[in-house]
Amino acid sequence: MIRRTVTIGGRAVGDDHPCFVTFEAGATHGGVESAKRLIDVAAQVGADAIKFQILDPDRLVADRAQAFSYEVLIDRASARRETVTEPLYDLLARRALPPEAWRALKAHADARGLAFFATIGFADEIDRMVGLGCDSIKIASADIDHLPLIRHAARTGLVVQIDTGNATLGEIETAVDAIRAEGNESIVIHHCPTGYPARTESINLNVIGSLRRMFPYPIAYSDHTPSWAMDVAALALGANVLEKTITEDRTTRSVEHVMSLEPDEARRFIATLREVEAAMGGPSFAPDGATEGEPSVASWRRRAVRRSAYLATPVFAGARLGDLVLDYRRPGFGLSPGFVERHADARLARDLPAGHRLGLGDLTTEGIER
């Protein structure tokens, strides 16, 4: 399968490229100024993108009494939490911003060198994203079966990111087919375990490998857990994109803060990901972490800790290599133990003293297998 690469904010996303890190601030900002501060945090710690949620609760929620439950952190020292239940409409209303605010936030992200995109709920909001100059659109897992909305997003030609949540494989395939049918192959598929926070036993990170085998598009992991252990694991399993929520204060009594990174943690999160990424290397065996540009350095290091054949007694020219009394010592810049075994019939070209490290120049060509 030929794996595709997409471009978001001028950055290539896919295999053979650094993992693309998105910080989600859509559920955790406290207004425009708070949102700007979270953009600043994302830029300062080295994220690639900032994401928000453009959701209109008046249009989206028909039943304003519909309840939604989530956890909040009430004590940092003990990590004690409690469950809060409130109307879904109320929590969505807290993250709603007027149209002009999104233009200001997009400009702020541009100034900080971050890609900017959002989860959207309606076709006109997609059009607003296009008008802002965004280059990606996110479809929530709850809308995985909202094909008219997905098709509208696909027709923009922008990168379409789809959350999968509790979707079936058939629903994911249908959504992907709907995007492709509009001539758009710029797709990112998110493994997005549900829950606020997600339960460890429901995360099922191996889905990342399944999605990689089934689809040629970049695969992402959207994390809903308080730590970043799952993100490191997802990176190792081949995730091309990681999405993690950030907050100014994890003890804020609202949804998603409990599983979000505070600014000091966000910096360590990025540093950890980049360290793991550097350590992973490539799929080929490379001695001592060698890269293509430094084989001689790696070879020197490797041979320096291996062993060479040293003469335990003086020898005369014509002696058979396999008959010599040898010591094997470091470094390994002379004849290796394996070479001596393979070429036991080789002959010495000259007299040599005890303690001499044997090299190819000490042998005649006789008995050396080519």
Side-chain angles (χ1 to χ4, degrees):
M1 179 190 298
I2 298 176
R3 302 200 60 80
R4 296 180 179 274
T5 297
V6 303
T7 301
I8 302 176
R11 297 166 174 85
V13 181
D15 289 357
D16 302 320
H17 297 284
C19 180
F20 188 92
V21 180
T22 298
F23 279 146
E24 160 75 276
T28 54
H29 69 80
V32 174
E33 294 308 311
S34 171
K36 286 183 177 179
R37 290 194 294 270
L38 289 174
I39 290 173
D40 291 339
V41 169
Q44 289 163 3
V45 303
D48 297 294
I50 190 79
K51 188 184 86 70
F52 291 92
Q53 299 172 13
I54 302 178
L55 302 172
D56 186 340
D58 293 319
R59 289 194 291 171
L60 186 62
V61 182
D63 179 5
R64 295 198 177 187
Q66 178 184 349
F68 187 88
S69 296
Y70 56 90
E71 292 185 0
V72 297
L73 180 67
I74 59 175
D75 184 73
R76 288 179 184 273
S78 65
R80 189 159 58 93
R81 306 175 192 169
E82 70 177 15
T83 300
V84 174
T85 300
E86 66 172 321
L88 177 64
Y89 176 86
D90 292 351
L91 71 88
L92 292 180
R94 285 199 296 272
R95 68 186 69 168
L97 294 175
E100 60 272 16
W102 297 115
R103 187 168 298 279
L105 294 180
K106 171 64 164 63
H108 194 69
D110 287 347
R112 300 309 305 267
L114 290 174
F116 176 101
F117 55 91
T119 299
I120 50 78
F122 295 94
D124 62 300
E125 293 167 351
I126 293 175
D127 297 337
R128 186 184 306 161
M129 295 284 285
V130 174
L132 288 176
C134 297
D135 49 10
S136 183
I137 294 169
K138 187 90 179 286
I139 303 293
S141 57
D143 289 327
I144 191 71
D145 62 346
H146 193 338
L147 298 183
L149 184 70
I150 291 172
R151 292 191 188 99
H152 191 89
R155 285 193 289 270
T156 65
L158 304 182
V159 176
V160 180
Q161 302 186 50
I162 55 173
D163 270 339
T164 56
N166 284 324
T168 66
L169 176 58
E171 289 173 326
I172 299 171
E173 290 176 320
T174 299
V176 169
D177 287 345
I179 298 169
R180 297 185 63 206
E182 300 298 333
N184 190 335
E185 293 281 354
S186 296
I187 302 169
V188 176
I189 303 171
H190 285 249
H191 176 47
C192 181
T194 58
Y196 299 93
R199 294 177 297 111
T200 301
E201 59 270 22
S202 70
I203 292 173
N204 198 7
L205 286 172
N206 283 326
V207 165
I208 293 170
S210 298
L211 292 173
R212 283 180 58 85
R213 289 188 293 273
M214 292 182 216
F215 300 100
Y217 307 106
I219 303 302
Y221 172 64
S222 297
D223 189 25
H224 284 184
T225 65
S227 76
W228 57 71
M230 299 302 111
D231 299 271
V232 171
L235 177 63
L237 288 169
N240 306 115
V241 177
L242 293 174
E243 183 178 303
K244 184 74 172 173
T245 310
I246 57 172
T247 179
E248 294 185 277
D249 182 358
R250 194 186 297 114
T251 63
T252 303
R253 290 183 63 84
S254 188
V255 68
E256 298 196 36
H257 289 274
V258 67
M259 63 191 200
S260 300
L261 300 177
E262 293 178 332
D264 61 323
E265 296 170 314
R267 185 179 304 279
R268 288 185 284 126
F269 170 74
I270 294 286
T272 298
L273 294 180
R274 298 311 180 202
E275 184 177 8
V276 171
E277 201 167 36
M280 286 173 62
S284 301
F285 286 95
D288 200 23
T291 64
E292 187 176 347
E294 58 160 8
S296 59
V297 174
S299 177
W300 186 91
R301 291 172 180 163
R302 184 171 68 253
R303 294 177 65 189
V305 298
R306 295 190 179 181
R307 302 196 198 191
S308 300
Y310 284 77
L311 292 174
T313 62
V315 295
F316 297 100
R320 180 177 173 272
L321 185 59
D323 296 333
L324 304 180
V325 180
L326 300 173
D327 293 324
Y328 291 101
R329 305 173 185 170
R330 294 178 180 175
F333 298 120
L335 301 184
S336 70
F339 181 94
V340 173
E341 281 198 351
R342 291 193 303 274
H343 306 287
D345 290 332
R347 301 286 175 169
L348 294 185
R350 55 198 172 99
D351 298 346
L352 294 170
H356 178 79
R357 185 177 72 198
L358 291 174
L360 281 175
D362 298 324
L363 305 177
T364 68
T365 57
E366 180 184 354
I368 299 180
E369 300 170 9
R370 298 296 181 182

